[in-house]
């Protein structure tokens, strides 16, 4: 599996010489709440689909950093296996996202800098990519066993906490 941040909040991205863009926390919330499908592509290439939120081979959510996601690797798809290998080796370390702006704020500074703050987007795709626009994104390769171990640990932790709440050790 691959997991990481496909977008980061409040980080400046220079779209152009005098244009700076940031993403506001909550920018993805409406899209995610509507459970609309987002594809995970490799490097924005529509010919290499790594996963989809609609069929639950991909998961996306906002956290304190930005848009976090996870995609399960299809072992029968050589492109997906190759993508995992490139991330695992550290050749690809960042991500990006394809979006349409639904709401934004804009302002001009006295020095002529145009600022846009993205408040809400439509999110048809996210991608691990070679040259991400936002440097704060990240992507990591994990084995499917790592996720199973995490679920088992979290379940055992919940059981321990419930026992403690009920007065057990």
């Amino acid at each position: 599996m691959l997991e990481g941040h496909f977008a980061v909040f409040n980080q400046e991205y220079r779209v152009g010489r005098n244009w700076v863009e940031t993403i506001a926390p909550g920018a993805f919330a409406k899209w995610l709440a509507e459970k609309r499908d987002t594809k995970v592509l490799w490097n924005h290439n529509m010919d290499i689909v790594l996963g989809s939120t609609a069929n639950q081979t991909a998961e996306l959510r906002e956290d304190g950093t930005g848009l976090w996601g996870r995609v399960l690797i299809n072992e029968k798809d050589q492109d997906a296996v190759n993508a995992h290998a490139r991330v695992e080796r550290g050749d690809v370390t960042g991500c990006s996202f394809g979006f349409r702006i639904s709401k934004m704020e804009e302002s001009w500074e006295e020095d002529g800098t145009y600022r846009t703050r993205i408040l809400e987007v439509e999110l048809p795709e996210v991608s691990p990519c070679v040259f991400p626009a936002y440097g704060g994104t990240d992507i990591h390769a994990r084995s499917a066993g790592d996720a199973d171990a995490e679920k088992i640990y979290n379940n055992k932790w919940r059981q321990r906490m419930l026992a403690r709440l009920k007065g057990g050790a």
Side-chain angles (χ1 to χ4, degrees):
M1 91 177 59
L2 298 175
E3 66 180 37
H5 288 93
F6 290 93
V8 291
F9 297 137
N10 299 318
Q11 183 183 40
E12 291 188 352
Y13 166 60
R14 287 211 169 270
V15 179
R17 191 168 63 91
N18 291 323
W19 179 6
V20 178
E21 174 183 272
T22 58
I23 304 166
F28 306 100
K30 182 178 178 192
W31 179 271
L32 296 172
E34 292 173 352
K35 300 197 183 299
R36 296 178 64 185
D37 189 26
T38 301
K39 302 292 186 196
V40 180
L41 306 179
W42 178 255
N43 215 31
H44 300 294
N45 184 341
M46 290 184 287
D47 293 332
I48 304 176
V49 180
L50 301 176
S52 168
T53 59
N55 70 2
Q56 299 179 343
T57 56
E59 170 190 359
L60 295 171
R61 71 179 189 286
E62 287 190 353
D63 65 14
T65 301
L67 180 67
W68 177 89
R70 172 185 290 166
V71 62
L72 302 175
I73 295 301
N74 179 355
E75 298 295 330
K76 295 178 182 178
D77 179 347
Q78 193 58 51
D79 289 325
V81 172
N82 290 343
H84 186 273
R86 290 176 181 124
V87 171
E88 185 174 49
R89 197 168 84 163
D91 295 335
V92 176
T93 59
C95 293
S96 186
F97 60 108
F99 65 102
R100 288 182 290 279
I101 297 172
S102 301
K103 291 182 187 174
M104 74 175 188
E105 298 173 338
E106 56 186 336
S107 62
W108 288 91
E109 294 183 353
E110 286 189 27
D111 67 0
T113 301
Y114 174 59
R115 290 195 173 271
T116 53
R117 183 162 174 81
I118 299 170
L119 303 175
E120 183 180 301
V121 300
E122 295 177 14
L123 187 67
E125 65 96 0
V126 296
S127 292
C129 67
V130 177
F131 299 112
Y134 287 87
T137 62
D138 60 87
I139 191 75
H140 307 280
R142 295 180 60 182
S143 72
D146 291 343
D148 292 340
E150 183 177 331
K151 286 178 188 174
I152 291 167
Y153 173 81
N154 288 338
N155 189 39
K156 287 182 179 179
W157 180 85
R158 280 190 204 97
Q159 290 172 358
R160 285 194 314 269
M161 291 304 111
L162 286 172
R164 289 175 92 182
L165 287 171
K166 293 178 182 178

